[in-house]
Amino acid sequence: MEATALPAARRLWTALAAPAPPFPATPGGRAVAVSPDSRLAPPGWAGIVVLADTALITVPDEDTASAVRRALPALPGAALTDPGAVRAVLPVADVLGPATLAYAPPTGFRPDPDVATETVPPDAPGLARLLAESGAADAGESGLDEVTSPVSVLRDGPRIVAAAGHSRWPAGTAHVSVLVAPDARRRGLARRVGSAAVSRALADGLLPQWRARPEASRRVARALGLHELGSQLSVRLAPTAPRLTDARRPRPSVPPTAPTGAPPPPGPAPTA
């Protein structure tokens, strides 16, 4: 599964980072590129995407690039998207993430056996109500308001309580978004609508991507057979602090300060 999805995932994130080099061919390699228009992170931030054992990092300017190139070699690959580890070697003012990146090539997908869902257009009125009921944080993290595909929904009476669809990203990728009403969670609804959304993406010839920060969302993706190939983190460096700290004197680990998953293109992490 990994061999099938990994090249496509790397093409996607290279396209989002442009202009930037591709992921390094050498195992454990890291490519750092100055790319002010990169969509790996918000404007002015550094974006870090790790896929398998290689990393692509975009930064807004040469000063940041120099700091990152000096600091990050001190970290093992798995620590590149660990906020605490990155804070230990760089003067981080804020973070978004981390979020895991999971993919579903056709041979690995395990659809939910209960496939009965209703399909509505992405501008259906009931979806707006679901977004409002879920609150700004969960609605924003789901990215449901940015899907472009038909949306698979489940209802409690006339009310939509679970929904999933996808938005089209570069390199033939379908970015899956899932949202379940707060009072309807922990009933398996995310898996049902998520399964329908992944099925539709595969039928359209796209590679489904499931970007998730909450563990509950990651469990849903794993249950559907999606394979976690990497992770993503965005950091904003303190503008007035020294650009590099001594990696041999690590600071205490600090959890992420922003509740949303990874930032860049539309549609953050699904909410189970």
Side-chain angles (χ1 to χ4, degrees):
M1 179 189 304
E2 180 173 321
T4 302
L6 184 57
R10 284 176 169 161
R11 287 194 297 271
L12 164 68
W13 289 99
T14 300
L16 292 172
F23 280 80
T26 304
R30 296 138 189 222
V32 180
V34 177
S35 181
D37 296 326
S38 167
R39 288 188 284 167
L40 269 60
W45 291 47
I48 305 169
V49 174
V50 177
L51 290 171
D53 58 354
T54 60
L56 180 59
I57 303 164
T58 60
V59 295
D61 52 57
E62 288 290 350
D63 286 345
T64 306
S66 296
V68 167
R69 290 187 181 111
R70 292 195 302 267
L72 293 191
L75 301 179
L80 290 174
T81 53
D82 179 336
V86 175
R87 285 182 186 271
V89 296
L90 284 169
V92 174
D94 203 356
V95 301
L96 287 170
T100 59
L101 302 170
Y103 299 87
T107 55
F109 177 49
R110 296 194 296 269
D112 189 273
D114 189 349
V115 296
T117 60
E118 178 187 347
T119 301
V120 301
D123 59 352
L127 295 176
R129 177 178 173 181
L130 172 61
L131 288 162
E133 291 176 344
S134 299
D138 283 355
E141 185 163 338
S142 76
L144 186 67
D145 60 338
E146 306 203 23
V147 302
T148 54
S149 71
V151 181
S152 299
V153 304
L154 293 169
R155 297 181 184 268
D156 182 0
R159 172 179 166 241
I160 293 177
V161 295
H166 71 260
S167 51
R168 185 73 176 261
W169 280 21
T173 305
H175 184 70
V176 178
S177 297
V178 180
L179 183 63
V180 178
D183 63 342
R185 294 175 186 173
R186 293 175 291 279
R187 290 160 42 187
L189 304 187
R191 179 172 174 173
R192 287 176 60 187
V193 294
S195 176
V198 171
S199 295
R200 180 174 293 108
L202 291 171
D204 290 343
L206 303 174
L207 175 68
Q209 173 182 264
W210 191 295
R211 185 172 62 178
R213 182 185 58 85
E215 177 57 30
S217 182
R218 296 174 65 184
R219 285 197 300 269
V220 174
R222 289 193 292 265
L224 294 174
L226 281 81
H227 186 61
E228 292 183 357
L229 295 183
S231 56
Q232 179 190 13
L233 180 74
S234 295
V235 298
R236 180 173 62 86
L237 298 187
T240 58
R243 284 294 185 181
L244 181 65
T245 60
D246 186 348
R248 292 169 297 179
R249 293 184 286 112
R251 301 173 184 176
S253 178
V254 180
T257 58
T260 59
T271 300

